[in-house]
Amino acid sequence: KKFKFSVDLADTKLKREIGLQCKKDLKENEGMLFIWDSEKQRYFWMKNTKFLLDIIFINSKLEIVDIFFNAKPYNLMSITSNKKVKYVLELNAGVFKNLDLMIGDRLKFQRN
């Protein structure tokens, strides 16, 4: 299956800290891809984020290893990956389920 998303890259410490905070809206095929140099357990929250998100945790082999559905806007609860990950993909809530993806599926990243 092929799905294309236009994602902003959060590949520096500052970009990862800001994430999607303060962004006014997010189109259905848009998101943010967080990238680190190594695999570790990752922690997220929804402070200053205005829309529901699905948070997809991805290991260095590009396998989906964990998913957090419907992260609530402005919530300060910590959202933690159950496994070590190198990438995290944030999409509008519901988009991930509509794609029929599951834990264990592999993703492919491509730059345009």
Side-chain angles (χ1 to χ4, degrees), residues 2-4 7 13 16 20 23-24 27 30-32 36 40 46 48 54 73 79 82 85 96 104 108:
K2 269 195 171 182
F3 312 103
K4 286 195 176 189
V7 296
K13 187 177 189 309
R16 288 189 295 264
L20 290 172
K23 190 163 176 141
K24 289 186 171 84
K27 293 182 178 127
E30 291 180 335
M32 179 164 272
W36 289 269
K40 289 185 181 173
M46 295 292 289
N48 297 325
D54 288 343
I79 299 166
N82 289 323
V85 298
F96 187 83
K108 181 179 177 183

Side-chain angles (χ1 to χ4, degrees), residues 43-86:
Y43 304 88
F44 281 73
W45 65 349
M46 295 292 289
K47 182 180 180 180
N48 297 325
T49 304
K50 295 177 171 72
F51 27 82
L52 286 165
L53 292 175
D54 288 343
I55 302 173
I56 298 98
F57 298 97
I58 305 160
N59 68 16
S60 60
K61 297 175 189 169
L62 302 182
E63 295 170 334
I64 298 168
V65 296
D66 201 4
I67 308 158
F68 187 91
F69 293 106
N70 297 311
K72 292 180 180 28
Y74 304 106
N75 195 324
L76 300 182
M77 176 188 83
S78 181
I79 299 166
T80 307
S81 62
N82 289 323
K83 298 186 177 181
K84 292 180 179 181
V85 298
K86 185 172 178 175

Side-chain angles (χ1 to χ4, degrees), residues 91-106:
L91 300 172
N92 272 311
V95 170
F96 187 83
K97 270 189 179 169
N98 291 341
L99 299 177
D100 204 26
L101 292 169
M102 305 167 36
I103 289 177
D105 286 350
R106 285 188 115 152

